[in-house]
Amino acid sequence: MALRGKIGLSRLALAAAATWAGYAGGGVALAQDVADSEEIIVTATKREERLQDVPIAVTVFGEEQFEQLRPDNLSDLGARVPNMYLPPADESQTQYITLRGLGPGVTRSSGRSVGVYIDGAYSSADSLTNLPVSDLASIEILRGPQGTLFGRDTIGGAINVTTRAPSDEFSGFAELEYGSYERLALSGGMDIPLSDVLALRVSARQLNYGGHIDNEFTGDKADSLDQFSGRVQLYFTPSERFDARLVYSHSDRDDSPTTGENAGGTYADQIPYRVNINVQESFVQDADSLTLAMNYELPSGHTLTSISGWSQSSDRSLVDRDLTPDAISTQSILYDVEDVSQEIRLTSPDSDRFDYLMGLYYLRSETLNRDTYPLFGAAWLANVGFPPILPDVLDGQERAFTSTSWAAFVNANYYLTDRFSIFGGVRYTHDEKEVSHTTFGEVFGAFGFVSANLVGNTEEEPITWSLGARYALSDEWKTYFSVSTGYRSSSLKDDFLTAADLLNPAGNITEPEYVTNYEFGAKYRSSDGRIAANAALFYMDYSDIQVSISVPPLLFVRQLQNAAAAHLQGFELDGSYALTDNLAFSGSLGYLESEYDDFHPSPSLDLSGTGFGNHPEWTISAALDYTHALQSGELLFHLDTTVMTVPDDFQPGGTALELGGYSTLNGQIAYETASGDWRLAVWGQNLLDHDDPVSTTLWGAGLGLNQHNVYIYQPPRSLGVTLRRAF
């Protein structure tokens, strides 16, 4: 089988070494019967608590779910979370996460509404949020504002990722996977005790995918993948009072992702899995991160925690801007991000009367984003009927963003009785942003874009808070009610700045936006552990919403403003039921509706009473798992489905194309030896071979220039096999 591109020798050596280690012998314990599973423990509140006791709407994925669902990245899990929407990445592989209708900012410097934290450290790069699900211990997805517990950008929720920590015993695994469309994945990990107090863990994954989208013009595949990720950890435990964990991660990609399939413009055909473009689109990324987490238990029983984080990523994209076989416009995108963060937290001992945590947080993020057009300028103007004004030179724009955030927060619980408690927190934040903007080239000059200008800066000092109560109706039933507030800092225009923007600052900078979330939740776990269910009803009062409005005739020129008010409301339900000792059902259900209460984008346009148009209406998932005991081991059967429906006003990206709901059905049959040291699985994705669009975008310039509506379809049916060796 031929693989696109080359696998670097160092990457191949690391992955191969992890694979070879899988044949060293040993084993792990046989998985428990589904009815005998233990309660889920989460760290969402910065303490280890049972999922049923946490007064937050949270979905948890652990190692067992990763094995059953086989996600390559976070977006493969998105459809299994109530009211979560993770559409495919855009042309620069930016992943936009939407929780309860709250999603990305209106500009790249805005900041997300959903914070992503890896081993406690925040990641600001949008192209790193769709992280590979490799060698992870758990992913916790918290819905609603979380500012009194987490660092930055949590107006909509937080994603808490915990990698698998080193063990003090020698162990490991190796895994080989082969599937349709030249899919080949090789991964492995190994724990190596270095002494009684120091342990090392090394893990790596290499993924290659030939692609399922044909480019009629070039004859190549338009969506191939070549991705590597690796991690090295040291875990130091010199005493019962102190531990330190150092994690270094590296990832690189050399992909050929397609912008989308032309479904509503020149050369459009609306035939799935086929494009017709003269550019081999590409995305190359190199990313590194380093996290140091230290915990020290004071003589008083308090725990002092320090989490230091550093990360950097460098992305290079090449895009066929016109999405046709004609040589009209090509775009090259550079996106470099560097984050430095520090969190210091003091946590009181567990108590049946009063406990608390308080913390300080710092983040500095620097971003450089440069778009250039190797083919644009006079050639592009001539194509659309403009006379050549200058020789075709390199057009483009460069934006440098700097964000600095300081915060202090406290969160506490007071237990009035064994069954009733109140909780709450408060947070002070000091945010500063600065954007520097430069444009160049004859086309941008012809259309009045400024050549150089310091756009400006913003500074805010908001105070946000949360307050609630929880009551245990019984040992099985737990309820809670909470009110929490969140905030997103001001946005600065960082794309296509014109001379008119300098005269109209109101369209250049927004005010902050705020949300107040009212939530009632109920959680149930039967005494025998067979049934577990979590439900939440919520209403969100959303004010000063940051929006971006196209300015005709060039639709890519946008003005920023604040919509006055809106609300979102819905409910969420997830749970599991062990029907027998060997058969279990699990699933989730989410419903969401949004509405602008007061929104006048222009004097002649009133959008009050309409929806946001950026989120599904229903999100549904379900799974069945059955185990059958054999003398030599177990057979495991898994079947899961996801369904997503959209409201009538669903228009992500402003597209004019209709996007209906979509669904998928996946399955797996696995055999695991009694010792747990071997596992062989045969799997299938999208077994019914549906080809529904899952995302749609308006791609174009306006003024009749290169306007296209593009679809991204769900991948076709694929089959494969996975062999795993544990030791």
Side-chain angles (χ1 to χ4, degrees), residues 39-40 50-54 56 58 471-480 520-536 572-578:
E39 285 197 80
I40 298 173
R50 298 184 305 172
L51 176 62
Q52 302 305 115
D53 294 337
V54 175
I56 300 172
V58 54
Y471 180 68
L473 299 172
S474 65
D475 291 341
E476 290 81 20
W477 280 99
K478 310 293 175 63
T479 63
Y480 69 90
F520 171 77
K523 301 190 177 187
Y524 173 78
R525 179 180 169 86
S526 62
S527 57
D528 60 5
R530 286 184 175 273
I531 304 175
N534 311 293
E572 295 152 352
L573 175 67
D574 62 69
S576 61
Y577 175 36

Side-chain angles (χ1 to χ4, degrees), residues 6-183:
K6 297 180 180 180
I7 303 174
L9 291 178
S10 60
R11 294 157 48 186
L12 182 60
L14 185 53
T19 304
W20 173 85
Y23 296 92
V28 296
L30 181 67
Q32 294 175 305
D33 290 340
V34 290
D36 193 32
S37 60
E38 297 179 356
E39 285 197 80
I40 298 173
I41 303 297
V42 298
T43 59
T45 60
K46 303 301 177 72
R47 297 176 183 270
E48 290 190 353
E49 293 188 84
R50 298 184 305 172
L51 176 62
Q52 302 305 115
D53 294 337
V54 175
I56 300 172
V58 54
T59 298
V60 182
F61 297 97
E63 295 182 34
E64 184 177 351
Q65 286 75 35
F66 298 149
E67 197 169 68
Q68 294 165 340
L69 301 174
R70 300 180 45 263
D72 282 330
N73 44 48
L74 188 60
S75 63
D76 290 338
L77 297 173
R80 296 170 173 86
V81 179
N83 292 324
M84 188 173 191
Y85 180 51
L86 273 79
D90 66 9
E91 70 277 3
S92 58
Q93 291 303 284
T94 295
Q95 189 73 41
Y96 295 122
I97 305 172
T98 300
L99 268 176
R100 291 183 175 177
L102 303 182
V106 294
T107 66
R108 202 143 201 183
S109 59
S110 296
R112 298 188 305 271
S113 65
V114 181
V116 177
Y117 303 85
I118 305 172
D119 291 326
Y122 175 79
S123 174
S124 71
D126 291 328
S127 61
L128 293 180
T129 56
N130 196 24
L131 71 159
V133 180
S134 176
D135 205 41
L136 302 183
S138 68
I139 297 177
E140 301 170 358
I141 301 177
L142 293 71
R143 299 181 289 279
Q146 306 297 330
T148 62
L149 290 169
F150 286 85
R152 181 173 169 79
D153 293 335
T154 55
I155 188 173
I159 299 176
N160 187 29
V161 180
T162 304
T163 61
R164 192 180 299 175
S167 169
D168 58 2
E169 296 182 359
F170 181 80
S171 61
F173 78 96
E175 187 173 280
L176 176 66
E177 181 173 278
Y178 178 76
S180 304
Y181 304 102
E182 298 186 353
R183 175 186 172 90

Side-chain angles (χ1 to χ4, degrees), residues 39 47 63 90 137 154 199 229 252 326 361 375 380 385 478 503 521 526 536 612 614 616 650 684:
E39 285 197 80
R47 297 176 183 270
E63 295 182 34
D90 66 9
T154 55
S229 60
D252 57 67
D326 298 330
Y361 182 79
L375 180 63
W380 179 75
K478 310 293 175 63
L503 302 175
S526 62
F612 289 5
N614 67 342
F650 189 72

Side-chain angles (χ1 to χ4, degrees), residues 498-573:
T498 67
D501 290 318
L502 304 182
L503 302 175
N504 180 27
N508 196 23
I509 301 176
T510 72
E511 297 295 326
E513 62 181 25
Y514 300 89
V515 68
T516 302
N517 179 64
Y518 304 88
E519 184 169 326
F520 171 77
K523 301 190 177 187
Y524 173 78
R525 179 180 169 86
S526 62
S527 57
D528 60 5
R530 286 184 175 273
I531 304 175
N534 311 293
L537 295 170
F538 62 89
Y539 180 91
M540 305 176 74
D541 186 5
Y542 198 12
S543 61
D544 295 324
I545 307 163
Q546 299 170 6
V547 294
S548 176
I549 306 299
S550 293
V551 180
L554 295 172
L555 298 183
F556 60 81
V557 178
R558 308 179 74 85
Q559 293 292 318
L560 307 183
Q561 60 179 268
N562 292 86
H567 71 270
L568 305 99
Q569 59 187 356
F571 67 85
E572 295 152 352
L573 175 67

Side-chain angles (χ1 to χ4, degrees), residues 441-709:
E442 81 280 10
V443 171
F444 284 4
F447 282 105
F449 298 111
V450 296
S451 59
N453 180 70
L454 181 64
V455 175
N457 55 70
T458 63
E459 184 174 349
E460 289 106 24
E461 294 181 306
I463 294 177
T464 54
W465 52 269
S466 63
L467 183 65
R470 47 182 165 183
Y471 180 68
L473 299 172
S474 65
D475 291 341
E476 290 81 20
W477 280 99
K478 310 293 175 63
T479 63
Y480 69 90
F481 175 77
S482 65
V483 182
S484 55
T485 63
Y487 128 99
R488 186 185 344 229
S489 58
S490 298
S491 294
L492 293 137
K493 189 172 183 183
D494 55 40
D495 195 14
F496 297 109
L497 191 73
T498 67
D501 290 318
L502 304 182
L503 302 175
N504 180 27
N508 196 23
I509 301 176
T510 72
E511 297 295 326
E513 62 181 25
Y514 300 89
V515 68
T516 302
N517 179 64
Y518 304 88
E519 184 169 326
F520 171 77
K523 301 190 177 187
Y524 173 78
R525 179 180 169 86
S526 62
S527 57
D528 60 5
R530 286 184 175 273
I531 304 175
N534 311 293
L537 295 170
F538 62 89
Y539 180 91
M540 305 176 74
D541 186 5
Y542 198 12
S543 61
D544 295 324
I545 307 163
Q546 299 170 6
V547 294
S548 176
I549 306 299
S550 293
V551 180
L554 295 172
L555 298 183
F556 60 81
V557 178
R558 308 179 74 85
Q559 293 292 318
L560 307 183
Q561 60 179 268
N562 292 86
H567 71 270
L568 305 99
Q569 59 187 356
F571 67 85
E572 295 152 352
L573 175 67
D574 62 69
S576 61
Y577 175 36
L579 291 85
T580 70
D581 288 348
N582 303 95
L583 179 64
F585 168 81
S586 59
S588 68
L589 175 68
Y591 172 78
L592 177 66
E593 64 178 45
S594 62
E595 182 177 313
Y596 287 111
D597 299 322
D598 183 9
F599 183 22
H600 297 78
S602 66
S604 60
L605 181 61
D606 183 2
L607 295 182
S608 304
T610 65
F612 289 5
N614 67 342
H615 61 81
E617 184 175 32
W618 291 92
T619 50
I620 307 167
S621 71
L624 275 175
D625 289 280
Y626 176 74
T627 61
H628 178 71
L630 301 173
Q631 186 174 0
S632 59
E634 277 189 328
L635 280 176
L636 302 99
F637 300 86
H638 172 82
L639 195 66
D640 71 78
T641 184
T642 60
V643 179
M644 186 171 289
T645 70
V646 298
D648 294 338
D649 58 10
F650 189 72
Q651 281 192 317
T655 181
L657 288 178
E658 179 180 352
L659 178 66
Y662 57 91
S663 63
T664 188
L665 179 69
N666 314 298
Q668 181 181 156
I669 301 175
Y671 169 74
E672 188 171 300
T673 61
S675 61
D677 54 355
W678 287 97
R679 190 177 195 274
L680 177 65
V682 178
W683 49 264
Q685 300 288 111
N686 190 11
L687 292 172
L688 301 181
D689 203 24
H690 289 171
D691 59 3
D692 300 315
V694 298
S695 180
T696 177
T697 304
L698 179 66
W699 178 268
L703 198 64
L705 313 180
N706 305 334
Q707 292 188 67
H708 302 277
N709 291 283

Side-chain angles (χ1 to χ4, degrees), residues 370-446:
R370 181 187 300 123
D371 297 346
T372 55
Y373 297 84
L375 180 63
F376 197 40
W380 179 75
L381 291 173
N383 182 77
V384 296
F386 282 75
I389 56 176
L390 286 173
D392 190 17
V393 298
L394 194 66
D395 291 86
Q397 56 181 335
E398 178 177 297
R399 291 89 76 191
F401 327 134
T402 301
S403 297
T404 305
S405 179
W406 295 86
F409 57 92
V410 61
N411 193 278
N413 297 279
Y414 182 68
Y415 304 90
L416 286 85
T417 70
D418 291 343
R419 294 190 178 276
F420 181 67
S421 64
I422 58 175
F423 59 89
V426 64
R427 174 190 183 88
Y428 164 80
T429 305
H430 181 99
D431 275 340
E432 296 182 18
K433 290 183 181 179
E434 183 177 275
V435 176
S436 176
H437 190 288
T438 303
T439 60
F440 45 90
E442 81 280 10
V443 171
F444 284 4

Side-chain angles (χ1 to χ4, degrees), residues 320-341:
D320 189 327
R321 187 71 187 180
D322 56 89
L323 295 179
T324 74
D326 298 330
I328 299 175
S329 177
T330 302
Q331 182 181 14
S332 175
I333 304 171
L334 174 148
Y335 180 52
D336 290 348
V337 181
E338 183 175 19
D339 291 339
V340 176
S341 64

